Amino acid sequence: MEDIIKIDNNGVLSVPDNPVIPYIAGDGTGPDIWNATRLVLTNAVKTAYQDRKKIAFKEILAGEKALEKTGQWLPKETLDQIRKYRVAIKGPLTTPIGSGMKSLNVAIRQELDLYACIRPAKYIQGVPSPCNQPENIDMVIFRENTEDIYLGIEWEAGTKEAEDILSFINQKIQKKFDKNTTGIGIKTISEKKTKRLIRKAVQFAIDNKRKNVTIMHKGNIMKYTEGAFLKWGYEVGKDEFKDVIITEQEVWDKFDGKAPEGKIILKDRIADNMFQQVLLRPSEYDVIATPNLNGDYISDTLAAMVGGLGLAPGANIGDSCAVFEATHGTAPKYAGLDKVNPGSLILSGAMMLDHLGWHKASDIIHTALQKSIANKKVTYDLARQIPGSIELKCSMFAKEICSLMA
Ligand code: NAP
């Protein structure tokens, strides 16, 4: 009998001891980092729970392997399997170029309505960082996944559609865009999708005893999209979490700048300012909630601040399922070389264990990975920056992590 993760009407998971978890190994370096991750996850669960719990990994296809075996980049069966089993993990996938197809990763997020892209950025001792006080970096980004310019509503310059829309705009605002040489991209942001994202971010802050949630936006310029995101975000705080949330304005107006015990501060920053804030005053930021494109930029910046893409985990979570994934791409020049850092997918796997409530196994992974870095036994990306380090292959790094588990 297959042990399937169930989810109740309140979104609470019920996880059996032997859950089936589908995986997509991925393209390029995907198989290398997936094999390493699978080894680490299996050993961590065994170390934490002996034989009482065990994940039954089940392969599902997407990307180049799916194309070869089924003639499709993203078979319907793959999406159905994720829907059925609720939790999945994936390596990076090639984005087909020139076929007019959108990214497979974006397609998976949109098809499954995985609306919150969650990316933690926490400094690991010993990892080279371009920042002065990297130990102060401990942020979690909640990036909206299903709206914004990422929806791909675009028309090329010179097409009938672009011409129609430009005629409408020219009429409405008396501007004279050149109808033959102007391309069009449409940005949408809605109340419902904004509110569910902010709700998830605030709930995360409550569950994880975080101190503040910052809405990152460009509402001063894009008033009815990013400005509305900001307005709806504050409404969630005020209407749904009034017992725990206090706005930054209230903290200054009523409490002289110091938040009362037990309250979480809800604040906002304009996107360009946010970049310098995370660099110069990282300790003041905790959970960041933002529309899709801002989230894309800020999460790679934060990843660079704590050691680069090789160590940046990520999860895409909706109300009915969740997919955990490496945040970097397929790094095709290293494919099959057993070289790249599997840390991003391993840490995403640890996030997955936390999502299942298997915190002990997750903690074991974090501790063992930190020890390996402290011992200067690392993959090429870190080895080239840590003097005196020993460079390990991808698979050896995984074995080293397993040997440090206790
Ligand atoms: P990329 O695959 O992320 O690689 C860019 C660079 O990042 C690599 O050359 C390497 O830097 C570093 N890097 C990536 N993975 C690493 C790892 N595991 N360990 C250490 N360093 C790592 O980006 P890309 O070359 O722009 O994209 C390649 C393909 O991946 C494209 O088809 C793209 O569409 C796709 N992609 C997929 C995803 C996803 O599946 N979520 C995300 C982004 C891109 P060095 O050269 O300095 O060593």
Side-chain angles (χ1 to χ4, degrees), residues 33 90-95 105 109 309-310 325-334 340-342 380-381 384:
I33 61 171
K90 67 172 276 291
L93 293 170
T94 303
T95 300
N105 307 297
R109 293 169 199 162
L309 287 175
E325 67 171 352
T327 55
H328 55 72
T330 58
K333 68 181 174 185
Y334 299 124
V340 294
N341 189 347
Y380 84 99
D381 52 320
R384 66 188 170 190

Side-chain angles (χ1 to χ4, degrees), residues 172-225:
K172 283 281 168 205
I173 59 170
Q174 263 110 56
K175 282 246 159 88
K176 289 285 167 257
F177 290 110
D178 183 338
K179 286 196 270 178
N180 297 314
T181 60
T182 308
I184 287 275
I186 289 183
K187 178 181 180 82
T188 66
I189 289 191
S190 70
E191 179 174 357
K192 181 175 160 212
K193 292 184 174 180
T194 297
K195 286 190 166 175
R196 66 182 183 174
L197 189 267
I198 303 286
R199 197 174 290 129
K200 226 180 192 38
V202 173
Q203 191 59 53
F204 174 89
I206 295 169
D207 294 344
N208 292 278
K209 303 194 173 16
R210 295 286 183 148
K211 290 193 171 62
N212 59 66
V213 177
T214 306
I215 300 169
M216 173 189 179
H217 63 94
K218 194 75 188 165
N220 53 331
I221 304 296
M222 293 171 270
K223 297 189 193 316
Y224 304 120
T225 49

Side-chain angles (χ1 to χ4, degrees), residues 276-302:
Q276 69 155 351
Q277 293 289 320
V278 297
L279 277 166
L280 300 179
R281 301 157 75 162
S283 59
E284 292 176 24
Y285 297 91
D286 207 336
V287 176
I288 299 171
T290 188
N292 203 331
L293 187 60
N294 298 337
D296 196 13
Y297 298 151
I298 193 80
S299 46
D300 272 26
T301 303
L302 285 172

